[in-house]
Amino acid sequence: MFFLMTGKKFSFLIFLFLPAFAFAQPADSTNASSSGDEPLPFLNADFFADSLSEAYTLEEDPMGAQRLLQVRDSALTPSVVISSTFLHSDNFLSVNDEQLQSNKADGMLSDAYSLNLSLNFTLGLGEYGLGDDIILTPKLNFIRGRSFTDPFRDYGSTYSKDRSLNNDSLVANISIPFILPNEFSLSFGHTYSSINYYRGVTEEIMHVNVPNISFEKKFILDNGDELLFNTQVSYSFNKTASENDAFDNPELAALGLNADFLRTAFFASNPGTTLQDIQRTDTSDTLSHNISLSYSKMITENFSITPMLNFISQNYTEGNNQSRSSKSYGGGVSFGYTLLDWLSINANSMFTKLKTRGLEDMENKAMSFESFSNAISINVQHSF
């Protein structure tokens, strides 16, 4: 859809379809195990027994389409999704246009491909009623990912072997959504994420803690289409590798420049600097506001199209980006197709424009960054 691949690029498709190959099941066995069975009930029977004794209809129910009427034997609902995502961006490093043109002229990384593999585990922690109209649905989410930059080696081996561009990621999240009447929901959450090198010596690059609050409203139209409005406020506590790790460079150590030597040389050339100062410059805490709008339309039973818009405002409050602010505008469209109950394909195109002010190395001038990206992903999912 988005890419023309020949030669060595064709052989790389095996990685994109890896989840489907690894977890493929014969169609007959899958259907045989589920034929004739009713869908698994969703809520705890004991908890909602009284509420479900009355027959609700969609029109009578103050909860709208979000009213959960089925009963589930277990309060815990685990699910797993394994994904391979192949992405192309015309501004891979998100630099301003002047720098982008310079990179192209010098043969440096500009437009590039990447492959991202991820394992996503979600555990629903049950359904809890608050009064007659509010349902609490807490859940845990864990994501393990690995990225490969320039897998086709269009730039030789320079970037495909660059430690800073090929990373492992770990994300752990807890969210507590309150499902409210009339398709409203309010959610409180906290996300921890870390990025690590996996080439050479394994070590952490940075980790982030992000508490957040989001508010969502879903509009279900007469034709079944869904319009979703979401707004979120979050605060990121960012921390790179510790001040001691800042001087621990394996490549320099191989040349005899160990951490102690680099630390001594740094402080000798930067009198008055303390370890606390280094730690401070390694942080970049951020207050973010996010507004998004999406419209989901089912074309067929298995095929959907979702146009979307988003706006992000960020203000940096600590660290080497202190006093910097940025605004990001984005829009695009996503296509989803369900092949089987456990296998789906997604493709999307996104345009992003970011304006930022306060970069010291850019003399605090307003700068603009633009990028256009296409991505396609293969997803294997299973609910227990």
Side-chain angles (χ1 to χ4, degrees), residues 54-127:
E54 301 180 11
Y56 282 98
T57 65
L58 183 62
E59 290 76 13
E60 295 169 343
D61 190 352
M63 289 293 294
Q66 292 184 9
R67 184 75 180 190
L68 304 177
L69 300 181
Q70 291 181 308
V71 178
R72 193 175 178 91
D73 293 333
S74 172
L76 300 180
T77 54
S79 63
V80 175
V81 179
I82 300 176
S83 299
S84 295
T85 301
F86 188 53
L87 179 143
H88 174 265
S89 173
D90 67 350
N91 187 358
F92 194 84
L93 297 178
S94 298
V95 297
N96 62 74
D97 187 65
E98 181 180 351
Q99 183 63 53
L100 179 62
Q101 298 306 318
S102 176
N103 288 351
K104 289 182 177 180
D106 296 337
M108 299 176 63
L109 191 66
S110 51
D111 65 291
Y113 297 92
S114 69
L115 174 69
N116 302 284
L117 306 178
S118 67
L119 171 64
N120 187 331
F121 174 76
T122 300
L123 180 64
L125 300 178
E127 310 277 336

Side-chain angles (χ1 to χ4, degrees), residues 121-341:
F121 174 76
T122 300
L123 180 64
L125 300 178
E127 310 277 336
Y128 307 94
L130 297 177
D132 296 329
D133 298 332
I134 300 175
I135 296 179
L136 195 63
T137 59
K139 64 180 179 180
L140 296 172
N141 182 239
F142 302 92
I143 304 174
R144 195 78 168 91
R146 173 165 288 193
S147 66
F148 303 85
T149 296
D150 191 27
F152 301 142
R153 298 197 172 186
D154 295 324
Y155 296 88
S157 61
T158 302
Y159 300 109
S160 61
K161 294 184 177 180
D162 190 318
R163 299 180 72 212
S164 63
L165 296 174
N166 298 270
N167 307 312
D168 280 339
S169 61
L170 173 66
V171 178
N173 171 265
I174 181 170
S175 60
I176 307 176
F178 293 78
I179 301 179
L180 309 174
N182 301 316
E183 310 297 343
F184 287 97
S185 65
L186 177 67
S187 180
F188 298 86
H190 185 95
T191 299
Y192 168 86
S193 61
S194 68
I195 301 176
N196 305 272
Y197 296 124
Y198 66 81
R199 297 196 183 279
V201 179
T202 301
E203 59 181 327
E204 182 181 83
I205 304 172
M206 66 177 297
H207 64 259
V208 185
N209 282 285
V210 186
N212 60 81
I213 303 174
S214 64
F215 179 76
E216 186 174 279
K217 167 64 177 175
K218 181 186 293 184
F219 301 88
I220 300 180
L221 308 183
D222 293 338
N223 61 1
D225 295 351
E226 293 184 0
L227 181 65
L228 184 65
F229 171 80
N230 181 282
T231 181
Q232 183 181 90
V233 177
S234 62
Y235 193 89
S236 302
F237 297 91
N238 301 329
K239 182 68 177 68
T240 64
S242 71
E243 57 272 15
N244 293 324
D245 294 336
F247 300 103
D248 188 8
N249 187 314
E251 296 176 358
L252 294 179
L255 300 176
L257 304 176
N258 58 32
D260 291 335
F261 175 85
L262 294 174
R263 187 181 296 107
T264 301
F266 176 83
F267 289 121
S269 59
N270 294 273
T273 302
T274 65
L275 287 176
Q276 184 177 2
D277 295 328
I278 299 174
Q279 182 175 0
R280 179 178 175 81
T281 59
D282 278 346
T283 60
S284 188
D285 297 351
T286 311
L287 176 65
S288 301
H289 300 81
N290 184 9
I291 299 175
S292 64
L293 184 68
S294 64
Y295 182 89
S296 181
K297 183 175 184 60
M298 296 298 300
I299 305 302
T300 68
E301 183 178 356
N302 297 329
F303 179 60
S304 65
I305 298 178
T306 307
M308 62 194 77
L309 298 170
N310 65 70
F311 169 76
I312 303 174
S313 175
Q314 294 181 308
N315 291 278
Y316 297 82
T317 60
E318 296 288 344
N320 54 350
N321 282 315
Q322 187 173 5
S323 300
R324 175 187 168 193
S325 63
S326 66
K327 290 179 172 56
S328 174
Y329 309 84
V333 59
S334 176
F335 304 89
Y337 189 81
T338 302
L339 296 171
L340 300 168
D341 290 341

